[in-house]
Amino acid sequence: MAYRWFCRLGLEDAVPDHSTFSKNRHGRFRESDAFRQVFESVVTRCMKEGLVGGEGFAVDASVIKADANRSRSTAREGAEDLRDPQHATRAVREYLAALDAQGEPVTVPASISPTDPGARWTAVDGPAFYAYSTNYLIDVRAGIIVDVEATPTLRTAEVKATRTMIERVEERFDLKPERLIGDMAYGNAELLGWMVNDKGIAPHVPVWDKTQRDDGTLSSSDFEWDERANEYRSPQGQPLRSEWRIFKHPRTRITKANTIIYHASQAACSKCPMKSRCCPNTPRRKIARSVHESARDVARNIAKTDAYKQSRKDRKKVEVLFAHLKRILRLDRLRLRGPNGAHDEFLLAATAQNLRRMAKWLFSAQPEVTSMAI
């Protein structure tokens, strides 16, 4: 009755076939990006009601099982078999179109689902399964989701989605946070450099650092960095430089890993009394310094402040949303297949969560009405 009333259909009028909804969803709705428009209209309303502050954003990702049988898979060598016409389902077509659009060879996963090849084989606290990741960017004032993105369950894809969401929110809503809160997955050097140098956002994120040693030898942090001289200084006062002579044509010395190698003099290292604790297995000590090391230092300094402690508490708001998504909305497994299906479901779920949060916020903000004695 409710659906008939909404669609302006009488009790005796014919109702659309159930396939009409799916055809519209995969056709005109996708072409118009209607679900994104609905989501952003709800975010706009939340902003008008004062639920979005714009000062601090938090980002995180959660793994959602795909509608793919984990017992059925195609080996990496059989990926080209998906181009067989018998596999020409919508999810397979989306997967092949994405591969062709990249224009260059990509690493094919070891296990591919023939029903949803866009899903990635992953393991989270138990047996592996096919899944997608839903990425949330929330405003920490009231926990409103300001953007959502569907990605494969890859850390690199989740980091890339962070940049996409921040830039999209700035473009659509003219919002750019003063601080971004995240866990260590978002503490890689490239993302920190983008936040600090390009966007002017304070990274309230733990630094992804693999330079600390646990074998008793000196770590990179035991060496003092001299910005003016562009060199490190060892505990014994010996310099570590990227170049020990002047070249006619200056060189950047930047490696493929976006680092610059600083090394000490081999003669100085051989005479150093701390060589056994510094570089016992190599002739001289080397330190790989990231080109984004200054941004990493900014994040390290922020981690020592009281504001960072508050950010650790604020980050729980996005974790609560993921718990609500799976336990209350029951979206622990997707019903649609392919990246576009995941995109649609994640957008609709985030829209429902924002509507629920806005309704609770507005209801609690209403003044209590006291009954008058008659």
Side-chain angles (χ1 to χ4, degrees):
M1 293 288 290
Y3 281 112
R4 284 179 175 274
W5 171 83
F6 181 79
C7 297
R8 298 181 180 179
L9 296 174
L11 293 177
E12 298 179 354
D13 292 337
V15 297
D17 188 84
H18 67 88
S19 62
T20 303
F21 295 97
S22 61
K23 289 178 180 178
N24 284 332
R25 183 173 65 246
H26 301 312
R28 67 178 66 176
F29 284 179
R30 180 149 298 128
E31 294 173 359
S32 63
D33 205 10
F35 295 141
R36 169 66 64 180
Q37 295 180 30
V38 172
F39 170 79
E40 292 182 351
S41 65
V42 173
V43 175
T44 301
R45 176 62 186 277
C46 291
M47 293 173 60
K48 292 180 179 179
E49 298 295 341
L51 277 70
V52 178
E55 182 273 334
F57 286 176
V59 63
D60 205 353
S62 185
V63 176
I64 306 294
K65 292 181 180 179
D67 184 24
N69 193 335
R70 59 185 300 272
S71 63
R72 295 187 57 201
S73 63
T74 301
R76 178 182 307 177
E77 294 75 12
E80 288 300 321
D81 294 341
L82 294 174
R83 296 187 182 273
D84 192 307
Q86 67 177 350
H87 298 294
T89 62
R90 179 184 56 82
V92 172
R93 290 196 301 269
E94 290 178 4
Y95 172 74
L96 295 177
L99 290 182
D100 295 338
Q102 291 176 358
E104 58 182 12
V106 295
T107 303
V108 181
S111 180
I112 302 175
S113 169
T115 54
D116 191 354
R120 299 288 296 201
W121 185 250
T122 186
V124 179
D125 299 331
F129 52 88
Y130 292 105
Y132 288 93
S133 288
T134 177
N135 299 265
Y136 277 5
L137 183 68
I138 74 162
D139 183 272
V140 297
R141 170 178 286 185
I144 296 298
I145 306 166
V146 293
D147 206 350
V148 58
E149 186 78 5
T151 63
T153 54
L154 295 171
R155 180 171 295 170
T156 53
E158 294 170 0
V159 170
K160 183 179 179 181
T162 301
R163 299 178 59 165
T164 300
M165 291 188 293
I166 290 177
E167 290 178 339
R168 185 162 51 204
V169 168
E170 184 177 4
E171 176 185 354
R172 304 284 178 86
F173 306 114
D174 195 24
L175 285 176
K176 189 181 74 171
E178 297 177 10
R179 58 186 171 116
L180 180 68
I181 307 166
D183 57 23
M184 191 174 291
Y186 304 92
N188 68 78
E190 184 177 356
L191 182 60
L192 292 176
W194 177 79
M195 282 193 285
V196 174
N197 301 323
D198 296 345
K199 306 301 292 185
I201 300 173
H204 287 232
V205 179
V207 177
W208 181 267
D209 195 352
K210 294 184 178 180
T211 62
Q212 296 298 318
R213 299 184 177 183
D214 55 4
D215 57 358
T217 58
L218 298 178
S219 301
S220 299
S221 58
D222 296 319
F223 292 75
E224 183 180 356
W225 170 249
D226 189 337
E227 183 71 31
R228 180 175 299 179
N230 189 29
E231 65 182 23
Y232 280 97
R233 284 282 176 176
S234 71
Q236 295 293 317
Q238 297 295 334
L240 285 77
R241 300 169 181 164
S242 59
E243 293 180 345
W244 282 87
R245 62 187 181 92
I246 300 176
F247 291 87
K248 183 177 181 180
H249 301 287
R251 305 177 183 182
T252 62
R253 298 292 182 181
I254 299 176
T255 66
K256 293 182 179 179
N258 281 331
T259 61
I260 300 176
I261 307 299
Y262 292 82
H263 53 85
S265 167
Q266 186 171 339
C269 279
S270 62
K271 300 177 183 179
C272 181
M274 297 186 66
K275 187 178 188 306
S276 59
R277 288 189 54 204
C278 183
C279 52
N281 302 319
T282 56
R284 56 183 177 178
R285 178 60 186 260
K286 297 180 181 180
I287 295 178
R289 179 179 175 85
S290 170
V291 296
H292 305 292
E293 195 65 29
S294 59
R296 284 156 57 90
D297 288 338
V298 170
R300 292 189 184 100
N301 293 331
I302 290 176
K304 302 175 184 177
T305 63
D306 293 335
Y308 181 82
K309 296 179 181 178
Q310 179 60 42
S311 294
R312 294 297 89 196
K313 298 177 181 178
D314 292 337
R315 195 174 71 86
K316 295 179 181 179
K317 295 181 179 180
V318 67
E319 296 174 352
V320 169
L321 285 169
F322 287 142
H324 175 266
L325 177 70
K326 296 179 179 180
R327 297 178 184 178
I328 307 301
L329 299 185
R330 300 293 184 181
L331 188 58
D332 55 350
R333 182 185 178 92
L334 292 172
R335 294 155 180 82
L336 305 178
R337 293 174 179 171
N340 287 331
H343 168 81
D344 292 348
E345 286 202 61
F346 293 158
L347 269 175
L348 289 173
T351 302
Q353 288 182 295
N354 279 346
L355 287 171
R356 179 178 181 273
R357 183 61 58 90
M358 181 172 61
K360 292 182 66 176
W361 179 281
L362 295 180
F363 178 78
S364 61
Q366 291 180 355
E368 295 184 0
V369 179
T370 59
S371 59
M372 298 180 61
I374 299 178

